[in-house]
Amino acid sequence: MRALVVRAVDAPLRVEEIELPAPGPDEVRVSVRAAGVCHSDLSMVNGTLGPPYPLVLGHEAAGVVLEVGHAVTRVAPGAHVVLNWAPPCRDCWYCGRGEPWLCERTGSPSAPRGRTPTGEPLHVTLGLGALAEQVVVPQEAVIGVPAELPFEAAALLGCAVLTGVGAVRRTAKVAPGESVAVIGLGGVGLSVVSAARAAGADPVLAVDISPAKAALAATAGATDFLLADETLNRAVRERTGGRGVDHALECVGRATTIRAAWRATRRGGQVTVVGMGARDDIVGLAALDIFHSARTLRSSVYGSSDPDRDVPELARAVLDGTLDLAHLITDRTTLDGAPEAFARMARGEGARTVVLP
Ligand SMILES: [Zn+2]
Ligand SMILES: [Zn+2]
Protein backbone atom coordinates (compact mmCIF):
# COMPACT_ATOMS: atom_id res chain seq x y z
CA MET A 1 0.00 0.00 0.00
CA ARG A 2 1.03 3.63 -0.50
CA ALA A 3 1.51 6.37 2.08
CA LEU A 4 2.88 9.90 2.37
CA VAL A 5 6.28 9.68 4.10
CA VAL A 6 8.74 12.31 5.37
CA ARG A 7 12.32 11.19 6.09
CA ALA A 8 13.92 14.24 7.80
CA VAL A 9 13.12 17.81 8.89
CA ASP A 10 12.12 19.80 5.79
CA ALA A 11 12.87 16.84 3.49
CA PRO A 12 10.64 16.54 0.41
CA LEU A 13 7.45 14.57 1.04
CA ARG A 14 7.15 11.41 -1.02
CA VAL A 15 4.48 8.83 -1.62
CA GLU A 16 6.15 5.53 -0.78
CA GLU A 17 5.23 1.87 -0.75
CA ILE A 18 4.91 0.71 2.89
CA GLU A 19 3.97 -2.50 4.72
CA LEU A 20 1.64 -2.53 7.71
CA PRO A 21 1.36 -5.47 10.14
CA ALA A 22 -1.83 -7.53 10.24
CA PRO A 23 -4.22 -6.24 12.93
CA GLY A 24 -3.47 -7.60 16.41
CA PRO A 25 -6.29 -8.95 18.62
CA ASP A 26 -7.44 -5.41 19.60
CA GLU A 27 -6.67 -3.69 16.31
CA VAL A 28 -8.51 -2.84 13.11
CA ARG A 29 -7.45 -2.22 9.52
CA VAL A 30 -9.19 0.75 7.91
CA SER A 31 -9.31 1.70 4.24
CA VAL A 32 -8.82 5.49 4.30
CA ARG A 33 -11.38 7.23 2.05
CA ALA A 34 -10.67 10.86 2.95
CA ALA A 35 -7.89 12.54 4.94
CA GLY A 36 -7.43 16.23 5.74
CA VAL A 37 -4.05 17.97 5.59
CA CYS A 38 -3.76 19.63 9.01
CA HIS A 39 -1.27 22.17 10.32
CA SER A 40 -0.04 19.68 12.91
CA ASP A 41 1.18 17.49 10.03
CA LEU A 42 3.23 20.45 8.82
CA SER A 43 4.65 20.72 12.36
CA MET A 44 5.91 17.14 11.96
CA VAL A 45 7.78 18.20 8.79
CA ASN A 46 9.13 21.71 9.47
CA GLY A 47 10.90 21.07 12.78
CA THR A 48 8.24 22.57 15.13
CA LEU A 49 7.79 19.10 16.62
CA GLY A 50 10.63 16.61 16.60
CA PRO A 51 9.17 13.21 15.73
CA PRO A 52 11.32 10.21 14.76
CA TYR A 53 11.68 9.60 11.00
CA PRO A 54 10.82 8.09 8.60
CA LEU A 55 7.27 9.09 9.48
CA VAL A 56 3.91 8.47 7.78
CA LEU A 57 1.96 11.76 7.90
CA GLY A 58 -1.75 12.35 8.52
CA HIS A 59 -4.11 12.20 11.51
CA GLU A 60 -7.48 13.60 10.32
CA ALA A 61 -9.31 10.92 8.38
CA ALA A 62 -12.30 8.69 7.84
CA GLY A 63 -12.77 5.37 6.09
CA VAL A 64 -14.20 1.89 6.10
CA VAL A 65 -13.16 -0.97 8.40
CA LEU A 66 -11.67 -3.80 6.31
CA GLU A 67 -10.53 -6.28 8.95
CA VAL A 68 -10.70 -6.63 12.74
CA GLY A 69 -8.71 -8.59 15.33
CA HIS A 70 -10.51 -11.39 17.21
CA ALA A 71 -10.98 -9.34 20.41
CA VAL A 72 -12.44 -6.26 18.70
CA THR A 73 -15.94 -5.35 19.93
CA ARG A 74 -16.32 -1.70 18.88
CA VAL A 75 -16.75 -2.15 15.13
CA ALA A 76 -17.20 -4.81 12.46
CA PRO A 77 -15.86 -4.93 8.89
CA GLY A 78 -17.81 -2.53 6.68
CA ALA A 79 -18.33 0.05 9.43
CA HIS A 80 -17.73 3.68 8.49
CA VAL A 81 -15.39 5.28 11.00
CA VAL A 82 -13.66 8.52 11.97
CA LEU A 83 -10.09 8.13 13.23
CA ASN A 84 -9.30 9.52 16.70
CA TRP A 85 -5.68 10.66 17.28
CA ALA A 86 -6.05 10.79 21.06
CA PRO A 87 -8.07 7.75 22.16
CA PRO A 88 -8.42 7.99 25.96
CA CYS A 89 -7.60 5.02 28.20
CA ARG A 90 -10.76 5.49 30.37
CA ASP A 91 -8.67 4.36 33.32
CA CYS A 92 -6.26 7.12 34.41
CA TRP A 93 -6.85 9.98 36.88
CA TYR A 94 -7.86 12.46 34.13
CA CYS A 95 -10.19 10.04 32.36
CA GLY A 96 -11.74 9.24 35.76
CA ARG A 97 -12.61 12.88 36.36
CA GLY A 98 -14.18 13.32 32.91
CA GLU A 99 -11.25 15.02 31.16
CA PRO A 100 -10.29 12.38 28.58
CA TRP A 101 -8.54 14.98 26.38
CA LEU A 102 -5.85 15.13 29.09
CA CYS A 103 -5.49 11.33 29.29
CA GLU A 104 -2.08 10.39 30.70
CA ARG A 105 -1.56 7.74 28.03
CA THR A 106 -2.04 9.94 24.96
CA GLY A 107 -0.07 12.84 23.57
CA SER A 108 2.90 11.18 21.90
CA PRO A 109 3.47 12.80 18.48
CA SER A 110 4.20 9.47 16.82
CA ALA A 111 4.18 5.71 17.30
CA PRO A 112 6.26 2.95 15.68
CA ARG A 113 4.22 1.00 13.10
CA GLY A 114 4.95 -0.75 9.84
CA ARG A 115 8.04 -1.01 7.65
CA THR A 116 9.31 -0.08 4.25
CA PRO A 117 9.70 -2.91 1.69
CA THR A 118 13.44 -2.97 2.58
CA GLY A 119 12.62 -3.59 6.26
CA GLU A 120 13.25 -0.09 7.59
CA PRO A 121 10.99 0.59 10.63
CA LEU A 122 8.41 3.38 10.22
CA HIS A 123 6.62 5.70 12.63
CA VAL A 124 3.08 7.03 12.18
CA THR A 125 1.83 10.51 13.08
CA LEU A 126 -0.23 10.67 16.30
CA GLY A 127 -0.62 6.89 16.27
CA LEU A 128 -2.46 7.00 12.91
CA GLY A 129 -0.42 7.88 9.80
CA ALA A 130 -3.64 8.53 7.93
CA LEU A 131 -2.31 10.07 4.70
CA ALA A 132 -2.18 6.53 3.38
CA GLU A 133 -4.36 4.03 1.59
CA GLN A 134 -4.82 2.09 4.84
CA VAL A 135 -4.10 2.32 8.57
CA VAL A 136 -3.86 -0.36 11.27
CA VAL A 137 -4.87 1.15 14.62
CA PRO A 138 -6.15 0.11 18.08
CA GLN A 139 -9.93 -0.28 18.15
CA GLU A 140 -10.18 2.71 20.55
CA ALA A 141 -8.87 4.92 17.73
CA VAL A 142 -11.97 4.43 15.57
CA ILE A 143 -15.41 5.95 16.12
CA GLY A 144 -18.38 4.59 14.16
CA VAL A 145 -20.42 7.11 12.16
CA PRO A 146 -23.51 6.70 9.93
CA ALA A 147 -22.75 5.38 6.44
CA GLU A 148 -24.66 8.30 4.89
CA LEU A 149 -22.15 10.81 6.30
CA PRO A 150 -19.84 11.86 3.42
CA PHE A 151 -16.23 10.75 4.02
CA GLU A 152 -14.85 14.27 3.48
CA ALA A 153 -17.00 15.71 6.27
CA ALA A 154 -16.32 12.69 8.49
CA ALA A 155 -12.55 13.19 8.11
CA LEU A 156 -12.74 16.80 9.30
CA LEU A 157 -14.70 15.77 12.39
CA GLY A 158 -11.60 13.92 13.58
CA CYS A 159 -9.46 17.05 14.08
CA ALA A 160 -10.35 20.51 12.73
CA VAL A 161 -14.05 20.44 13.56
CA LEU A 162 -13.86 18.63 16.89
CA THR A 163 -11.08 21.03 17.93
CA GLY A 164 -12.76 24.20 16.63
CA VAL A 165 -16.29 23.49 17.84
CA GLY A 166 -15.01 22.17 21.17
CA ALA A 167 -12.80 25.23 21.76
CA VAL A 168 -15.86 27.48 21.43
CA ARG A 169 -18.47 25.37 23.20
CA ARG A 170 -16.51 23.41 25.77
CA THR A 171 -13.29 25.31 26.55
CA ALA A 172 -14.23 28.99 26.14
CA LYS A 173 -17.99 28.41 26.64
CA VAL A 174 -18.83 31.36 24.38
CA ALA A 175 -22.29 32.75 25.25
CA PRO A 176 -24.82 34.50 22.96
CA GLY A 177 -24.01 38.17 22.47
CA GLU A 178 -20.36 37.86 23.50
CA SER A 179 -17.68 39.32 21.24
CA VAL A 180 -15.09 36.97 19.77
CA ALA A 181 -11.84 37.40 17.84
CA VAL A 182 -10.36 34.41 16.01
CA ILE A 183 -6.70 34.72 15.03
CA GLY A 184 -5.46 32.45 12.23
CA LEU A 185 -7.92 31.25 9.60
CA GLY A 186 -6.77 27.76 8.66
CA GLY A 187 -9.11 24.79 8.93
CA VAL A 188 -9.32 25.02 12.72
CA GLY A 189 -9.67 28.82 12.79
CA LEU A 190 -12.51 28.81 10.24
CA SER A 191 -14.19 26.04 12.21
CA VAL A 192 -13.89 28.26 15.33
CA VAL A 193 -15.43 31.19 13.41
CA SER A 194 -18.50 29.21 12.37
CA ALA A 195 -18.89 27.65 15.82
CA ALA A 196 -18.72 31.11 17.43
CA ARG A 197 -21.45 32.39 15.10
CA ALA A 198 -23.54 29.30 15.80
CA ALA A 199 -23.12 30.02 19.54
CA GLY A 200 -24.63 33.49 18.98
CA ALA A 201 -21.41 35.49 19.33
CA ASP A 202 -21.53 39.03 17.90
CA PRO A 203 -19.29 40.45 16.61
CA VAL A 204 -17.09 37.60 15.36
CA LEU A 205 -13.85 39.21 14.23
CA ALA A 206 -11.83 36.94 11.93
CA VAL A 207 -8.12 37.83 11.83
CA ASP A 208 -5.37 36.66 9.48
CA ILE A 209 -2.16 37.96 7.91
CA SER A 210 -3.48 37.12 4.44
CA PRO A 211 -6.16 39.38 2.89
CA ALA A 212 -7.06 36.42 0.68
CA LYS A 213 -8.76 34.86 3.73
CA ALA A 214 -11.46 37.58 3.84
CA ALA A 215 -13.88 35.70 1.59
CA LEU A 216 -13.40 32.43 3.49
CA ALA A 217 -14.01 34.28 6.76
CA ALA A 218 -17.27 35.76 5.46
CA THR A 219 -18.48 32.35 4.27
CA ALA A 220 -17.68 30.88 7.69
CA GLY A 221 -19.89 33.53 9.32
CA ALA A 222 -17.46 36.21 10.48
CA THR A 223 -19.03 39.65 10.94
CA ASP A 224 -15.70 41.37 10.18
CA PHE A 225 -12.35 40.46 8.65
CA LEU A 226 -9.31 42.18 10.15
CA LEU A 227 -5.69 42.06 9.03
CA ALA A 228 -3.17 40.91 11.61
CA ASP A 229 -0.88 43.93 11.46
CA GLU A 230 -0.12 46.99 13.61
CA THR A 231 -3.68 48.28 13.06
CA LEU A 232 -5.29 45.22 14.66
CA ASN A 233 -5.54 46.51 18.19
CA ARG A 234 -7.32 49.68 17.14
CA ALA A 235 -9.61 47.84 14.70
CA VAL A 236 -10.70 45.42 17.45
CA ARG A 237 -11.39 48.26 19.90
CA GLU A 238 -13.40 50.22 17.34
CA ARG A 239 -15.75 47.26 17.15
CA THR A 240 -15.98 46.50 20.89
CA GLY A 241 -16.79 49.83 22.55
CA GLY A 242 -13.10 50.52 23.08
CA ARG A 243 -12.68 47.54 25.44
CA GLY A 244 -11.49 44.56 23.40
CA VAL A 245 -13.27 41.23 22.87
CA ASP A 246 -14.76 38.95 25.53
CA HIS A 247 -12.96 35.99 23.93
CA ALA A 248 -9.90 35.75 21.73
CA LEU A 249 -9.15 32.31 20.26
CA GLU A 250 -5.63 31.87 18.91
CA CYS A 251 -5.47 29.22 16.17
CA VAL A 252 -1.85 29.55 15.04
CA GLY A 253 0.37 28.44 17.93
CA ARG A 254 2.98 31.22 17.89
CA ALA A 255 4.12 33.62 20.59
CA THR A 256 3.38 36.66 18.41
CA THR A 257 -0.22 35.63 17.74
CA ILE A 258 -0.77 34.61 21.37
CA ARG A 259 0.36 38.09 22.36
CA ALA A 260 -1.95 39.59 19.72
CA ALA A 261 -4.84 37.56 21.15
CA TRP A 262 -3.94 38.74 24.65
CA ARG A 263 -3.95 42.40 23.55
CA ALA A 264 -7.22 42.01 21.63
CA THR A 265 -9.05 40.85 24.78
CA ARG A 266 -10.88 43.15 27.21
CA ARG A 267 -10.05 43.40 30.92
CA GLY A 268 -11.39 40.27 32.55
CA GLY A 269 -11.73 38.56 29.16
CA GLN A 270 -10.56 35.13 28.09
CA VAL A 271 -7.73 34.08 25.79
CA THR A 272 -7.91 30.50 24.52
CA VAL A 273 -4.87 29.08 22.72
CA VAL A 274 -6.01 26.45 20.22
CA GLY A 275 -2.86 26.35 18.04
CA MET A 276 -0.04 23.97 18.95
CA GLY A 277 3.25 25.85 19.11
CA ALA A 278 6.94 25.08 19.51
CA ARG A 279 8.88 24.29 22.69
CA ASP A 280 11.24 27.27 22.31
CA ASP A 281 8.76 29.99 21.26
CA ILE A 282 8.43 32.01 24.48
CA VAL A 283 5.42 34.28 25.15
CA GLY A 284 6.45 37.45 27.04
CA LEU A 285 3.79 39.12 29.21
CA ALA A 286 4.43 41.92 31.71
CA ALA A 287 3.70 40.97 35.33
CA LEU A 288 1.78 44.21 35.83
CA ASP A 289 -0.25 43.57 32.67
CA ILE A 290 -1.20 40.07 33.87
CA PHE A 291 -2.44 41.53 37.17
CA HIS A 292 -4.11 44.67 35.83
CA SER A 293 -5.80 43.08 32.79
CA ALA A 294 -7.40 40.32 34.90
CA ARG A 295 -7.48 38.17 31.75
CA THR A 296 -7.58 34.38 31.73
CA LEU A 297 -5.07 32.60 29.47
CA ARG A 298 -5.57 28.90 28.84
CA SER A 299 -5.34 26.31 26.10
CA SER A 300 -7.86 24.04 24.45
CA VAL A 301 -6.49 20.53 23.85
CA TYR A 302 -8.55 18.61 21.25
CA GLY A 303 -11.42 21.04 21.97
CA SER A 304 -11.78 19.76 25.57
CA SER A 305 -13.79 17.04 23.84
CA ASP A 306 -14.60 13.43 24.44
CA PRO A 307 -14.39 12.16 20.84
CA ASP A 308 -16.50 9.06 21.55
CA ARG A 309 -19.35 11.30 22.69
CA ASP A 310 -18.79 14.38 20.50
CA VAL A 311 -17.90 12.94 17.06
CA PRO A 312 -21.25 11.07 16.75
CA GLU A 313 -23.05 14.25 17.93
CA LEU A 314 -21.25 16.36 15.30
CA ALA A 315 -22.00 13.70 12.66
CA ARG A 316 -25.72 14.02 13.46
CA ALA A 317 -25.45 17.82 13.19
CA VAL A 318 -23.88 17.51 9.72
CA LEU A 319 -26.60 15.10 8.59
CA ASP A 320 -29.48 17.23 9.89
CA GLY A 321 -27.99 20.34 8.25
CA THR A 322 -27.21 22.32 11.43
CA LEU A 323 -23.42 22.00 10.94
CA ASP A 324 -22.20 22.96 7.47
CA LEU A 325 -18.60 22.01 6.68
CA ALA A 326 -18.59 22.73 2.94
CA HIS A 327 -16.83 26.08 3.40
CA LEU A 328 -13.88 24.40 5.17
CA ILE A 329 -12.89 22.29 2.16
CA THR A 330 -11.14 24.45 -0.44
CA ASP A 331 -9.16 21.77 -2.29
CA ARG A 332 -9.36 18.07 -3.08
CA THR A 333 -6.49 15.96 -4.32
CA THR A 334 -4.98 12.47 -4.48
CA LEU A 335 -2.14 11.08 -2.37
CA ASP A 336 0.27 12.16 -5.12
CA GLY A 337 -1.07 15.72 -4.86
CA ALA A 338 -0.60 15.84 -1.06
CA PRO A 339 2.93 17.39 -1.12
CA GLU A 340 1.54 20.36 -3.04
CA ALA A 341 -1.24 20.65 -0.42
CA PHE A 342 1.45 20.94 2.28
CA ALA A 343 3.13 23.69 0.24
CA ARG A 344 -0.18 25.60 -0.03
CA MET A 345 -0.72 25.28 3.71
CA ALA A 346 2.82 26.49 4.45
CA ARG A 347 2.07 29.57 2.28
CA GLY A 348 -1.15 30.16 4.25
CA GLU A 349 -3.45 29.54 1.27
CA GLY A 350 -6.95 28.08 1.37
CA ALA A 351 -8.61 26.22 4.25
CA ARG A 352 -8.56 22.42 4.22
CA THR A 353 -7.28 20.21 1.44
CA VAL A 354 -8.89 16.78 1.60
CA VAL A 355 -6.85 13.91 0.16
CA LEU A 356 -8.87 11.12 -1.41
CA PRO A 357 -6.39 8.19 -1.50
ZN1 LIG B 1 -5.00 18.18 13.17
ZN1 LIG C 1 -6.74 8.12 30.50
Side-chain angles (χ1 to χ4, degrees):
M1 57 154 282
R2 301 166 80 231
L4 187 68
V5 175
V6 58
R7 290 184 162 269
V9 173
D10 279 333
L13 309 184
R14 291 214 174 84
V15 178
E16 296 191 20
E17 217 35 67
I18 71 162
E19 291 166 4
L20 289 176
D26 290 307
E27 292 180 335
V28 302
R29 183 191 299 276
V30 176
S31 164
V32 177
R33 299 299 175 84
V37 177
C38 173
H39 220 274
S40 305
D41 292 308
L42 190 60
S43 299
M44 300 287 174
V45 175
N46 66 11
T48 303
L49 300 170
Y53 300 109
L55 177 75
V56 180
L57 294 164
H59 64 277
E60 179 183 83
V64 179
V65 174
L66 293 177
E67 189 186 352
V68 303
H70 64 78
V72 167
T73 52
R74 269 169 84 93
V75 286
H80 289 215
V81 293
V82 169
L83 301 185
N84 172 3
W85 54 257
C89 73
R90 306 288 175 197
D91 198 35
C92 73
W93 188 84
Y94 289 101
C95 285
R97 54 178 269 133
E99 296 178 346
W101 57 93
L102 302 179
C103 176
E104 288 170 13
R105 290 180 222 163
T106 63
S108 168
S110 69
R113 192 160 309 144
R115 309 191 159 272
T116 66
T118 58
E120 198 181 358
L122 285 168
H123 287 75
V124 294
T125 295
L126 292 169
L128 300 178
L131 282 165
E133 290 171 341
Q134 297 178 7
V135 295
V136 172
V137 296
Q139 60 171 330
E140 291 76 22
V142 301
I143 300 166
V145 288
E148 52 283 18
L149 184 70
F151 287 116
E152 294 181 356
L156 298 196
L157 297 187
C159 187
V161 174
L162 192 64
T163 301
V165 172
V168 169
R169 290 189 196 163
R170 300 192 183 277
T171 314
K173 299 187 171 70
V174 172
E178 288 190 309
S179 53
V180 169
V182 182
I183 300 183
L185 302 178
V188 170
L190 290 166
S191 172
V192 168
V193 167
S194 48
R197 275 302 269 179
D202 189 15
V204 176
L205 312 177
V207 182
D208 201 275
I209 51 170
S210 166
K213 294 284 172 99
L216 285 170
T219 315
T223 58
D224 300 73
F225 173 79
L226 305 177
L227 269 179
D229 58 18
E230 66 289 346
T231 66
L232 178 63
N233 222 355
R234 198 178 65 229
V236 168
R237 276 167 177 75
E238 277 168 9
R239 289 161 177 80
T240 52
R243 290 182 300 274
V245 290
D246 298 313
H247 292 276
L249 293 109
E250 195 270 0
C251 304
V252 181
R254 286 211 193 115
T256 50
T257 38
I258 292 169
R259 276 196 50 82
W262 175 265
R263 283 195 304 271
T265 306
R266 69 164 168 83
R267 283 186 84 187
Q270 304 183 43
V271 182
T272 304
V273 175
V274 187
M276 179 168 56
R279 202 180 300 270
D280 57 356
D281 193 12
I282 309 297
V283 183
L285 297 173
L288 177 61
D289 189 19
I290 291 170
F291 175 81
H292 180 259
S293 72
R295 293 170 183 134
T296 303
L297 172 63
R298 67 170 158 236
S299 78
S300 177
V301 173
Y302 217 173
S304 308
S305 295
D306 183 336
D308 287 324
R309 176 197 62 198
D310 298 338
V311 166
E313 185 188 310
L314 292 167
R316 281 192 294 276
V318 172
L319 288 173
D320 72 20
T322 54
L323 179 64
D324 178 19
L325 306 182
H327 65 277
L328 292 179
I329 301 170
T330 46
D331 296 280
R332 292 173 180 79
T333 188
T334 60
L335 214 43
D336 293 300
E340 175 52 27
F342 275 76
R344 278 197 299 274
M345 186 166 55
R347 293 194 298 265
E349 295 171 14
R352 265 297 188 267
T353 296
V354 174
V355 173
L356 307 165

